[in-house]
Amino acid sequence: MSDVVEKTLTALPSLLSLDSHPGSAKLSSTSKLGNLIRGITELTSKHEEEKLIQHELLAIKEQVSSPNTTMRQMKELMVRSIYCEMLGYEASFSYIHAIKLAQQGTVLEKRVGYLAVSLFLNESHELLLLLVNTVLKDLQSTNLIEVCMALTVVSQMFPKDMIPAILPLVEEKLNHPKEIIRRKAVLALYKFYLIAPNQVQHIHNKFRKALCDKDPGVMTASLHIYLQMIQENPEAYKDLTPSFVTILKQVVGGKLPMDFNYHTVPAPWLQIQLLRILSLLGKNDQSTSEVMYEVLDESLQRAEMNHNITYAILYECVKCIYTIHPKSDLLEKAAKCIGNFVLSPKINLKYLGLKALTYVVQQDPKLALQHQMTIIECLDHPDLIIKRETLELLFRITNGQNVTVIVEKMLEFLCISEDDHTTIDLVGKVAELAEKYPLKYNEWFIETMNTVFSLGGDMMQPDIPNSFLKLLSEGFDSVEEDRKLRLFAVNSYIPLLRGEPGKLPQRFLQVISWVLGEYSHLREDLEPAEVLSLLAKLLDMKNSSSETKSWVLMAMTKLCKGGADASVTQEVSETYSSSLDTVLRQRAHELQYLSQDPELRARVLPRGAKPETLEVDSSLSFLDRFVSEALAAGAAPYKPPHQRQEELDQSKALSLEPYGLSLPISMSSCSITDRQSPTLLSMSSGLSGDTLKLDGIKRVWGREGYLAQREPVEEAAQVEVPSPIQSPGRQGEGDSLHSQTPTQTPTPEPEQEKQQLASSLFVGLASQSSVSLMGKSEPMPQRFRRKAKGQGLGSSFIANEQISSSLISPPSAVDNLLCNNLLDSNNASELAEQTSQLSQSLTTANGTCHAEAELTESDTKGCNPALRRDNCVVAAGPGPHNDPGRLTEVCLDSYLPAELSGLSHSEIAPLCANQSLNLSACHVQKEDSLILVVFIMNSSESAIQQIPAGEVTSYSVAVGQYSLTVKRPAVHVEVVGTVSYQLPAGTSQSLQFSYKVPLTSFIRPFVVSTEEYGTMWLSFSHDTKQNLTLINDNQEPLTATLNALKKKLQLHVVEVIGMEGIVACRLLQDLPCLMHCRVNAGWLAVWLRSPVPDLPDCLIYHCQRALQSL
C-alpha cells in the first residue's frame, strides 16, 4: 500500500503542476496537498478523517476569502477542495472561487478552475449563469488550449437554456484547422442534440461533413450523433449506408493510423459503433442489407477470439447479422461464433454466448437445440449472472409445452436470489408466463401466482396483482372452469390465514382479502363468521399497512350479513370509525351502515354480479357550477402539480431573448410575459385593481366546463413477425424427433436427468411450425381466452388501442392480404371470428400511426395482360426481384376509388416487387382525414391465394384504402407492413413494404377567432421558439411569409397586426397548434404552442423547410 501512495504522490506534481520547480519528482515538504494526503493515509478511523477534513476545509475557507491570496495559491486551494469533495465532504464555499479562477489568471490556472467547476457543479446549478461570458470569451480566443477547455465544459455541463448563446460559436469550430477543436465541437453538438434536438436541426448537413472529415477522430465523434439520429429515423439516412460500409472496410483492413489500434485490433470501438449503425439501417431492408454482407463477412473472419475487445466486436457482428435481412452463409458463420462463445470454459465468454443466443433465438429457435445440454449445465452454474442469463434465454423460448418446467426453474432461482432488481424482473416474467399459459390445471396457475406473491413481496410491480384479480373477475369461456378456479383460490388462502399471516407480504394479503370477500361463498362448508374472524386478525397485526387494512375492511363489508357476524363487524367499525386515516374511517362507516341494512348492501354490493364497464366522468362536470361560483368569488384556478413545477422551472430558467430575439409583446394595455397570450387581448383590461389577476395562469375551467387536455398516447413496442404457418404433420414429426433419442449405450444417472430436463425445456422447438416464442405470435389457449365484451358490435379487440366504431364494409382479399401480419399477434385468432371490421396498428419508424382498413367498392379489377405490359406494369422476370421503379403513375390513376379520384393525391410511388406481386401506394388528403391507398398488382400467370381465404386473380389490381391518424407526432411518419400470400403450389411467401408520409400531410387549417386563440394559448404548456427567414418581395415581408406558410403547410392566418401575426392549425384528429410570429431584426421570430409535446418541434422543422424551398 505504501508503494501505491508513494507513486500517487510522485505523479501529482506533474499532473497538477503544484511545484515551482519543473524537475521535482516528489511533492515538496511545503505542499499542503501532499501533507493532507499523507495525513489521511496515516489515520486509523473514519472519525479522525472527518475531524482532519473539517479542519482542512476551515483553513481553505479562510484563505480563499483573504484578499491577499494570489492566483497561484488559489489554484492550490481549488485542488485541495476538489480532493475534499472527492472524499464526500461538501466544500460549497469554494464554488464561486472556482468560477473566478476559470475567468482569470493564466492558462494553467484557468485549467484548474474549469476542472473544479466541472466537478463541483451540475447542469441545473444556478452558478452556471456566471460562466456563460467566460465560455463565450474563451471560444473566441486564439489560444487552442482555452478553446479546448471551453468546448469540454460545454459538452459536459451546459444546460438547455444556454445553448442558443454559444451554438453559433460552436458551429464555427467545425471548420477549425485543428482536428482536436473540430472533434470537441462535434462532441459538444452531440450533447446539444441529446438535450435539445430541435435547436440543431438546421446543421444536419454539417454533421455529414464531419463524417467525411480527413481526421479519423472527428469522423469517430460524428458517429455518436448518427447513431442517435438513425435510432430515431433510419429511413432518412439509408443513403449513407455505402459510406458507413466503406469506413468499416477501411477500419477492418487496417487503413487507420496505428494510434487507433488497441491490442493490435484496429479501432475496436469504432467498429462496434459502425456495426450498430449498420444493423439499424439494414433491418427489414434487403437492398440495404446486401451492401453490408461483404464487410460483415470480413469482420467475422478478421476478428479472432484472442482478446476481450475482439469478443465484443464478434458479439456486435452477430447481432447485426441476425438483425438485417438474412443471408444463409452469414447465419451459419454467426451460429458457429455463438457456439464457440457458449462452449467456452471462460465465464465471460459463456455469458456473452448466452446473451447472443438470447438475442437471436427469436429469429432462429433451432439454434438453442444445438446447445441444449450446455444450457442445462448453465442452470446449475455457480455464477448467478450465468444462471440469470440462462433463465432469460429460457423465457424467450417458452411455449405451452415447456412452461411448467421453465417457471419451476425461475422460482428456484428466486428462492436464492438476494438482488432486488433480479427479483423484480423474474417475478414479472413468471407472472407473465403464468397468465399467458394457464394450461388446463387451475391448481398450477393459482399455486404459481401464490409463490410469485410470496417471493416477490412488496417489491413487485403493482400491475401484477391487479392483472391477477382482473383475470379472476372477468373469467374465461367456461362458467364451470371459472367456478373451479375461484374455489381453488379460496381453498388455498384459508390455510394461509389460519397459519402465520404476519409473514406474508402486504400485497399478498390484499389479494387474499379481495378474493375471500368476492368468492368465499363458493365454499359451502365455510361460514362467513369464520372468514370475518380471520380477516379481523389481519387488522390487529402491527405490520399491516393502512392500505391493507382498507382492503380488509372492504372484504368484511362484502361478507357481513348481520346476526352472528354483527359482533365482529360492530367491534371493527367502532375501532376504526375514529381513525386518523380518512380512508379507514370511510371504510369503517360503510361497514357499519351496510351491515345494519342487508337490502342496501345487496343493491350496492350484489353477489355474483358480472363486471360492468363504468363510464367515468374524468372532467368532473358535476363540479362545474361550484367551480364557476368559486372563481367568480375570487378563488385561484387549480394548477396541476406538473404545471406548477414547470412554471417554477421556467421562472428559474435563463432567458437569452432580450438580446434581440424577444418574442413577448409589450403594449400599454396588456403586458405579455412568457406564459401569457401573444394576442392583443388583455385578459384583465376591464377589471379593477383589487380583482383577481389571471395573467400567466393556465386555464383549466371555462364557461363550457373543464377544458380537457389531450395527453400523448404511448404505445408498447410491437415486434412485427409474420405468423408461422401451422403444419400438423410437420409438428408431429418435430415432436417425435425428441421421443426417438438414441439410447443404445448406458447413460449415467446425472446425464439421464439432464437429458430428461432438456427434453422438457426444449419441447416444441424441433420444427418451425411448432415454435412459439415470447414476443412472437401465439394465440392464447381457447379455454383461457378472456370473454369479449360487446360481441354483438363485431369489433376487433386490439391491445392498448381504442378502436373506432364506424361501420366498415366486410374485408376483401386485399385488406386481409395486407392486414394479416400487421395486426397484433394476440388478436389473430379473433380476426377470423369477427370480420365485420378491420382495424390495425401499423408499425412506424418515426412517430406512431393508427390505421383503419376500409374496403373499396371495386377491389379487384382485371385487365388485358398485353395492355398492362405496354403500360409499364412489371411482369415476372427470371431474376428474383424486379425493379419497382418501372411502375408509372399513369398505370394506376384509373384504379383510384371513385370517391377519391377527384381529390389531390401524392405521386403513386412503387413500394416493392417480386416475381408475383408489385406494390405501390399514394396518400390522398381529405378535409378530415388522410387516406393511404395501396395497389397490389398480381403480375403472374396464376392466381395468388390469400391467407386465410380468397385470392387475387392473375394480371389484376387490388386496391385497399386506410385512414391514417398520427398519435405521436414526428417529422416523418413511416408506415411499415408485410403482405403474406400463398402461391398455387402451396408455397407461402411474404413481401415487406414501407411508405413515408410527411407530417405536413396531416396538417389542416384551424379556424378560430382572436379571442378563442388567446384563451387556448394560455392553456397550452408545450412550446418552442425559433428564428425563420423572412420573404422579401413586393408584399410586406410578414404578410408574404405567412401567406407562403399558409400555402405550403395549410395553416390558417388568424390575424395580422402591424409587425405581428397569429396563425393556427390542427393535426388530424383535432390536435391544435398555435403560432405567434413577430418581425424582429430582419428575422421572423416564431413561437409555437400545443398541448402535444412533440408537435411544436416537428412543425417548426417543416416551416424551415418550406421557407428554404422558396
Side-chain angles (χ1 to χ4, degrees):
M1 183 64 186
S2 59
D3 296 338
V4 176
V5 174
E6 188 66 26
K7 291 179 180 179
T8 304
L9 298 179
T10 303
L12 280 174
S14 59
L15 294 177
L16 301 174
S17 301
L18 297 177
D19 222 335
S20 57
H21 304 289
S24 61
K26 295 184 179 180
L27 284 174
S28 63
S29 58
T30 60
S31 171
K32 295 186 178 180
L33 175 62
N35 294 335
L36 175 62
I37 296 175
R38 291 190 185 94
I40 292 177
T41 56
E42 295 172 358
L43 298 179
T44 59
S45 65
K46 183 68 175 178
H47 176 72
E48 294 179 355
E49 178 187 307
E50 293 179 357
K51 185 176 180 181
L52 177 62
I53 294 299
Q54 293 300 333
H55 181 269
E56 181 71 17
L57 290 176
L58 288 176
I60 295 174
K61 185 176 183 180
E62 181 179 355
Q63 293 183 51
V64 297
S65 303
S66 174
N68 299 325
T69 303
T70 64
M71 286 290 104
R72 186 179 183 280
Q73 294 172 337
M74 186 67 70
K75 178 187 66 175
E76 194 212 4
L77 293 173
M78 287 301 104
V79 174
R80 289 158 58 190
S81 299
I82 291 174
Y83 190 78
C84 294
E85 284 260 346
M86 291 170 60
L87 293 177
Y89 300 93
E90 184 182 6
S92 57
F93 62 86
S94 60
Y95 294 174
I96 185 66
H97 298 284
I99 294 178
K100 291 181 179 179
L101 187 62
Q103 295 172 343
Q104 305 169 3
T106 62
V107 172
L108 182 58
E109 293 161 356
K110 290 173 69 69
R111 178 185 178 188
V112 175
Y114 273 127
L115 174 63
V117 169
S118 63
L119 295 175
F120 289 158
L121 307 183
N122 53 49
E123 293 183 356
S124 59
H125 203 284
E126 56 187 6
L127 287 180
L128 276 182
L129 177 62
L130 303 177
L131 200 64
V132 176
N133 286 335
T134 304
V135 173
L136 289 174
K137 182 182 67 176
D138 289 340
L139 285 176
Q140 302 176 30
S141 174
T142 57
N143 191 320
L144 294 181
I145 299 179
E146 292 182 352
V147 177
C148 286
M149 290 189 295
L151 288 173
T152 303
V153 171
V154 165
S155 61
Q156 284 184 348
M157 54 187 303
F158 253 51
K160 178 180 179 180
D161 297 327
M162 299 182 184
I163 292 178
I166 60 175
L167 181 58
L169 294 176
V170 176
E171 287 184 46
E172 292 178 2
K173 298 300 178 285
L174 292 176
N175 300 320
H176 199 278
K178 289 294 183 179
E179 58 275 1
I180 186 174
I181 302 297
R182 299 198 301 273
R183 182 169 70 248
K184 288 184 176 292
V186 171
L187 294 176
L189 291 175
Y190 172 60
K191 175 64 178 297
F192 295 167
Y193 183 82
L194 292 179
I195 61 178
N198 62 300
Q199 298 192 21
V200 295
Q201 286 182 348
H202 61 287
I203 58 175
H204 282 192
N205 290 332
K206 296 184 179 180
F207 295 158
R208 296 187 176 233
K209 183 178 179 181
L211 181 65
C212 302
D213 195 279
K214 60 182 180 180
D215 182 72
V218 180
M219 179 269 296
T220 304
S222 67
L223 292 181
H224 295 286
I225 302 179
Y226 274 105
L227 179 61
Q228 188 70 26
M229 293 191 299
I230 291 173
Q231 286 176 346
E232 298 171 359
N233 182 17
E235 291 297 326
Y237 303 96
K238 286 187 180 290
D239 59 315
L240 290 176
T241 304
S243 300
F244 292 124
V245 170
T246 302
I247 294 173
L248 183 57
K249 284 182 178 179
Q250 294 178 358
V251 174
V252 174
K255 301 297 181 60
L256 295 186
M258 295 295 294
D259 296 340
F260 289 87
N261 289 3
Y262 177 78
H263 288 272
T264 69
V265 180
W269 288 277
L270 178 57
Q271 292 189 50
I272 292 174
Q273 286 279 73
L274 289 169
L275 289 171
R276 291 175 179 173
I277 291 175
L278 293 179
S279 65
L280 294 172
L281 294 174
K283 187 176 182 180
N284 300 327
D285 191 333
Q286 181 176 358
S287 59
T288 305
S289 301
E290 290 174 352
V291 182
M292 312 174 186
Y293 291 155
E294 181 181 354
V295 70
L296 291 176
D297 190 7
E298 187 177 357
S299 298
L300 279 177
Q301 294 177 1
R302 289 181 177 269
E304 300 177 358
M305 296 183 61
N306 56 7
H307 196 272
N308 284 338
I309 195 62
T310 59
Y311 304 150
I313 296 175
L314 287 173
Y315 173 72
E316 291 294 337
C317 199
V318 168
K319 287 181 61 178
C320 181
I321 290 173
Y322 275 93
T323 302
I324 65 176
H325 191 276
K327 183 182 180 183
S328 57
D329 295 343
L330 286 178
L331 292 178
E332 292 178 2
K333 295 179 180 179
K336 182 180 179 181
C337 181
I338 293 176
N340 294 335
F341 282 147
V342 173
L343 299 176
S344 174
K346 298 180 180 179
I347 294 181
N348 290 340
L349 290 187
K350 189 177 292 292
Y351 171 79
L352 201 61
L354 290 173
K355 198 169 184 64
L357 197 58
T358 302
Y359 180 81
V360 306
V361 75
Q362 292 188 3
Q363 287 80 19
D364 188 6
K366 294 181 181 179
L367 194 58
L369 292 175
Q370 302 175 13
H371 309 286
Q372 50 183 316
M373 298 309 298
T374 304
I375 296 174
I376 296 301
E377 293 175 356
C378 291
L379 284 174
D380 299 326
H381 201 280
D383 194 299
L384 295 180
I385 303 298
I386 297 293
K387 295 180 68 174
R388 187 178 65 185
E389 192 60 36
T390 306
L391 292 176
E392 178 69 24
L393 170 61
L394 295 179
F395 173 74
R396 299 286 181 179
I397 63 173
T398 304
N399 54 48
Q401 303 177 46
N402 61 9
V403 61
T404 55
V405 184
I406 292 178
V407 167
E408 180 183 357
K409 292 298 178 182
M410 288 184 173
L411 294 178
E412 290 177 0
F413 184 79
L414 274 176
C415 294
I416 63 174
S417 175
E418 298 180 356
D419 180 60
D420 292 345
H421 173 75
T422 302
T423 300
I424 294 173
D425 182 57
L426 276 184
V427 162
K429 286 182 169 60
V430 173
E432 181 180 348
L433 293 178
E435 294 183 8
K436 185 177 179 66
Y437 306 102
L439 298 181
K440 299 180 180 179
Y441 306 102
N442 301 326
E443 294 83 355
W444 178 84
F445 174 62
I446 296 297
E447 290 174 355
T448 301
M449 294 306 299
N450 290 349
T451 308
V452 167
F453 294 141
S454 300
L455 297 177
D458 297 325
M459 295 184 298
M460 73 175 69
Q461 299 295 334
D463 60 335
I464 295 177
N466 292 343
S467 300
F468 172 71
L469 296 180
K470 184 179 180 182
L471 189 146
L472 279 181
S473 63
E474 291 182 353
F476 307 107
D477 291 344
S478 173
V479 177
E480 182 62 24
E481 292 294 338
D482 294 346
R483 183 181 178 280
K484 290 181 180 180
L485 180 68
R486 295 161 182 168
L487 180 58
F488 186 83
V490 172
N491 292 334
S492 63
Y493 294 155
I494 292 297
L496 294 178
L497 294 186
R498 289 174 178 170
E500 298 181 356
K503 297 181 179 180
L504 299 177
Q506 296 298 306
R507 286 183 177 165
F508 196 11
L509 293 176
Q510 296 168 13
V511 171
I512 293 174
S513 302
W514 187 90
V515 172
L516 294 181
E518 289 285 341
Y519 305 118
S520 61
H521 65 277
L522 297 176
R523 182 171 171 177
E524 298 177 356
D525 62 335
L526 186 63
E527 295 295 332
E530 182 181 357
V531 181
L532 286 173
S533 62
L534 293 175
L535 292 175
K537 292 181 181 179
L538 300 180
L539 297 174
D540 299 332
M541 294 191 309
K542 295 182 180 179
N543 59 343
S544 294
S545 63
S546 298
E547 185 179 2
T548 301
K549 292 180 180 179
S550 176
W551 284 68
V552 172
L553 289 175
M554 196 63 202
M556 297 179 69
T557 304
K558 299 175 184 178
L559 293 172
C560 64
K561 292 184 178 180
D565 307 337
S567 58
V568 179
T569 56
Q570 184 68 23
E571 180 182 356
V572 171
S573 60
E574 289 179 357
T575 302
Y576 289 96
S577 59
S578 58
S579 174
L580 296 179
D581 192 311
T582 56
V583 176
L584 293 180
R585 191 162 63 246
Q586 176 184 347
R587 297 302 182 199
H589 284 292
E590 292 174 355
L591 174 61
Q592 181 180 4
Y593 288 120
L594 293 179
S595 62
Q596 297 173 359
D597 192 344
E599 295 182 359
L600 177 61
R601 185 185 64 82
R603 292 199 306 270
V604 176
L605 301 171
R607 176 171 294 178
K610 296 182 179 180
E612 298 180 359
T613 303
L614 301 179
E615 294 185 3
V616 180
D617 185 6
S618 58
S619 64
L620 304 179
S621 58
F622 57 89
L623 293 176
D624 289 351
R625 182 177 178 183
F626 171 78
V627 173
S628 300
E629 294 176 355
L631 290 174
Y638 170 73
K639 293 183 181 180
H642 66 86
Q643 181 185 349
R644 293 196 294 269
Q645 183 63 37
E646 179 185 352
E647 294 180 358
L648 181 62
D649 294 341
Q650 289 188 354
S651 63
K652 295 181 179 181
L654 174 65
S655 177
L656 300 170
E657 293 173 359
Y659 291 98
L661 300 178
S662 177
L663 284 174
I665 311 167
S666 298
M667 301 184 304
S668 59
S669 61
C670 178
S671 177
I672 303 299
T673 61
D674 184 55
R675 298 299 303 173
Q676 290 177 327
S677 170
T679 65
L680 293 180
L681 296 176
S682 175
M683 301 303 295
S684 57
S685 57
L687 303 179
S688 60
D690 297 332
T691 307
L692 177 67
K693 296 182 179 180
L694 300 182
D695 291 345
I697 303 301
K698 180 180 178 180
R699 293 198 59 190
V700 181
W701 296 89
R703 294 181 179 179
E704 65 278 7
Y706 179 76
L707 302 177
Q709 300 297 318
R710 292 182 176 86
E711 297 295 338
V713 179
E714 296 183 359
E715 291 185 326
Q718 300 180 1
V719 182
E720 184 183 358
V721 184
S723 302
I725 304 172
Q726 299 296 331
S727 175
R730 291 185 60 187
Q731 183 174 0
E733 295 175 3
D735 293 339
S736 63
L737 193 62
H738 293 283
S739 61
Q740 300 175 358
T741 304
T743 56
Q744 298 178 358
T745 58
T747 306
E749 185 175 350
E751 291 297 325
Q752 290 182 358
E753 294 179 357
K754 290 182 179 180
Q755 290 180 2
Q756 292 177 359
L757 181 58
S759 63
S760 301
L761 286 175
F762 299 97
V763 63
L765 297 183
S767 62
Q768 187 177 1
S769 60
S770 59
V771 172
S772 171
L773 304 178
M774 296 300 297
K776 286 195 174 183
S777 59
E778 176 173 337
M780 187 174 289
Q782 177 70 19
R783 189 181 64 82
F784 273 85
R785 188 188 306 148
R786 298 187 180 183
K787 295 178 181 178
K789 301 178 183 178
Q791 293 180 359
L793 297 178
S795 58
S796 300
F797 299 99
I798 306 296
N800 300 326
E801 298 282 352
Q802 183 177 0
I803 305 303
S804 171
S805 60
S806 59
L807 296 178
I808 298 179
S809 305
S812 68
V814 60
D815 290 316
N816 287 332
L817 197 61
L818 281 173
C819 296
N820 284 340
N821 290 312
L822 295 179
L823 285 166
D824 192 305
S825 58
N826 291 332
N827 303 303
S829 59
E830 305 221 4
L831 179 64
E833 298 173 4
Q834 304 174 13
T835 57
S836 62
Q837 177 174 335
L838 272 175
S839 299
Q840 73 232 22
S841 179
L842 298 179
T843 305
T844 56
N846 191 5
T848 300
C849 177
H850 180 71
E852 289 186 358
E854 184 174 351
L855 177 68
T856 61
E857 293 184 359
S858 57
D859 294 44
T860 306
K861 299 184 180 181
C863 64
N864 190 316
L867 176 61
R868 296 195 59 80
R869 291 191 182 94
D870 293 340
N871 287 341
C872 301
V873 173
V874 177
H881 293 278
N882 293 297
D883 183 10
R886 294 172 57 192
L887 298 174
T888 63
E889 183 179 354
V890 179
C891 303
L892 299 173
D893 270 342
S894 59
Y895 289 94
L896 276 173
E899 65 273 16
L900 303 179
S901 58
L903 302 175
S904 62
H905 62 83
S906 64
E907 294 184 359
I908 300 178
L911 301 180
C912 54
N914 61 14
Q915 291 181 343
S916 303
L917 289 184
N918 300 280
L919 267 63
S920 301
C922 68
H923 58 271
V924 183
Q925 296 188 14
K926 301 177 68 176
E927 183 177 355
D928 56 348
S929 63
L930 183 70
I931 306 299
L932 173 64
V933 182
V934 181
F935 304 89
I936 301 180
M937 294 162 287
N938 182 0
S939 57
S940 64
E941 298 287 345
S942 57
I944 291 179
Q945 297 294 329
Q946 169 211 327
I947 299 174
E951 66 177 15
V952 180
T953 60
S954 62
Y955 298 111
S956 62
V957 177
V959 181
Q961 53 177 305
Y962 303 86
S963 178
L964 303 182
T965 303
V966 174
K967 288 188 175 181
R968 187 175 64 249
V971 174
H972 292 90
V973 177
E974 181 166 6
V975 183
V976 181
T978 304
V979 176
S980 296
Y981 59 94
Q982 189 171 7
L983 298 176
T987 306
S988 297
Q989 294 189 6
S990 62
L991 190 61
Q992 294 181 343
F993 69 90
S994 63
Y995 184 77
K996 184 183 294 185
V997 184
L999 186 70
T1000 52
S1001 300
F1002 297 91
I1003 298 295
R1004 298 293 183 272
F1006 187 31
V1007 181
V1008 293
S1009 63
T1010 307
E1011 292 78 9
E1012 293 171 338
Y1013 181 99
T1015 302
M1016 287 188 294
W1017 181 273
L1018 294 176
S1019 62
F1020 296 165
S1021 57
H1022 302 285
D1023 59 359
T1024 188
K1025 304 172 184 178
Q1026 189 72 36
N1027 285 345
L1028 301 180
T1029 305
L1030 277 172
I1031 298 178
N1032 295 314
D1033 54 10
N1034 297 332
Q1035 304 182 47
E1036 186 181 353
L1038 176 60
T1039 304
T1041 305
L1042 293 183
N1043 289 337
L1045 293 176
K1046 175 182 178 181
K1047 181 179 179 181
K1048 290 275 189 180
L1049 305 181
Q1050 300 190 54
L1051 308 179
H1052 171 65
V1053 180
V1054 180
E1055 189 173 0
V1056 177
I1057 308 171
M1059 304 299 291
E1060 300 173 7
I1062 51 178
V1063 183
C1065 65
R1066 63 184 176 91
L1067 182 69
L1068 297 174
Q1069 300 280 337
D1070 298 331
L1071 299 179
C1073 185
L1074 305 181
M1075 180 189 302
H1076 170 242
C1077 307
R1078 180 187 179 195
V1079 177
N1080 189 326
W1083 293 87
L1084 182 65
V1086 179
W1087 188 3
L1088 285 87
R1089 275 196 182 178
S1090 174
V1092 185
D1094 299 330
L1095 185 54
D1097 290 334
C1098 298
L1099 192 57
I1100 198 68
Y1101 170 80
H1102 284 290
C1103 289
Q1104 292 174 335
R1105 296 294 300 270
L1107 294 178
Q1108 290 174 1
S1109 63
L1110 296 177

